[in-house]
Amino acid sequence: METRTEPAFEWVGGDPALDFNNTVSWYPEGLANERLTSYDALVEWARGAGLVSDPEPLLARARRHPAAAAAALAAALELRRVLHDVLSAAAHGRKPDPARLRAFNESLAEGLARLELGVGRSGFRWDWKGASADLGSPLWPVARAAALLLTSDERPLLKDCANANCGWLFVDRSRRGNRRWCAMSGCGNRAKARRFYQRSRARAGRPAATRSRGRRRPPA
């Protein structure tokens, strides 16, 4: 039996909120290449994004409460849809849909209500109160990151991938500010290959006289 492998997480957005958006492909006709296929996958993403330092308490709680874990995953996918609409609007200089913005603010308020000041070895820090006991806690820093990005000086650098079948978002910190693709290793290389194929087809379709025009004839 063939074993199906889920696409790996990629960290190309330059911000946790954007990397959260980039856990699925946003095709015009629907979603594809889903990476958040389970609650465990959501926690694994949050760990990789640096938002969860110790995933085991959440994973253990999810095993004890599978229905609650399924609900938390559904909430994560809904927040991702809301964030995509709000962030994509910002990337194109548009105002977000008011209903989507209200939904985002509800998620933001839920997380910020758990934010408190803590003390670590090197000084003060922000902590999330009760995070290890709440299956929805991986979403709290995601919403906060999105709000911080949208109100920062980097908001004008927010872009979406030039590939219409991608929908991934990123902060364009390139020197010239001309980044077009979420990653050259993915959409960028596919676009280059597509252009090369189209040029090759165009050259192959031209008459022989046209193709040979301009070539130097060999000496007699």
mmCIF file of all heavy atoms in Angstrom, residues 47 71 89 92 182:
data_model
loop_
_atom_site.group_PDB
_atom_site.id
_atom_site.type_symbol
_atom_site.label_atom_id
_atom_site.label_comp_id
_atom_site.label_asym_id
_atom_site.label_seq_id
_atom_site.Cartn_x
_atom_site.Cartn_y
_atom_site.Cartn_z
ATOM 1 N N ARG A 47 5.322 24.495 17.302
ATOM 2 C CA ARG A 47 6.659 24.263 17.863
ATOM 3 C C ARG A 47 7.726 24.740 16.886
ATOM 4 O O ARG A 47 8.682 25.419 17.272
ATOM 5 C CB ARG A 47 6.867 22.783 18.170
ATOM 6 C CG ARG A 47 8.183 22.467 18.872
ATOM 7 C CD ARG A 47 8.510 20.997 18.789
ATOM 8 N NE ARG A 47 8.697 20.567 17.414
ATOM 9 C CZ ARG A 47 9.811 20.793 16.703
ATOM 10 N NH1 ARG A 47 10.828 21.448 17.232
ATOM 11 N NH2 ARG A 47 9.904 20.375 15.455
ATOM 12 N N ALA A 71 -12.158 20.169 17.781
ATOM 13 C CA ALA A 71 -12.745 21.508 17.781
ATOM 14 C C ALA A 71 -11.664 22.578 17.707
ATOM 15 O O ALA A 71 -11.822 23.599 17.011
ATOM 16 C CB ALA A 71 -13.596 21.697 19.029
ATOM 17 N N ALA A 89 -5.923 41.265 1.898
ATOM 18 C CA ALA A 89 -6.447 42.604 1.621
ATOM 19 C C ALA A 89 -5.378 43.658 1.890
ATOM 20 O O ALA A 89 -5.170 44.585 1.090
ATOM 21 C CB ALA A 89 -7.685 42.867 2.469
ATOM 22 N N HIS A 92 -2.725 43.932 -0.765
ATOM 23 C CA HIS A 92 -3.171 44.589 -2.006
ATOM 24 C C HIS A 92 -3.681 46.003 -1.756
ATOM 25 O O HIS A 92 -4.287 46.609 -2.639
ATOM 26 C CB HIS A 92 -4.249 43.749 -2.676
ATOM 27 C CG HIS A 92 -3.737 42.473 -3.246
ATOM 28 N ND1 HIS A 92 -3.163 42.385 -4.502
ATOM 29 C CD2 HIS A 92 -3.681 41.225 -2.723
ATOM 30 C CE1 HIS A 92 -2.794 41.129 -4.733
ATOM 31 N NE2 HIS A 92 -3.091 40.408 -3.678
ATOM 32 N N CYS A 182 6.972 33.311 -3.236
ATOM 33 C CA CYS A 182 7.104 32.878 -1.849
ATOM 34 C C CYS A 182 8.486 32.268 -1.632
ATOM 35 O O CYS A 182 9.112 32.488 -0.589
ATOM 36 C CB CYS A 182 6.001 31.883 -1.496
ATOM 37 S SG CYS A 182 5.978 30.370 -2.523
#
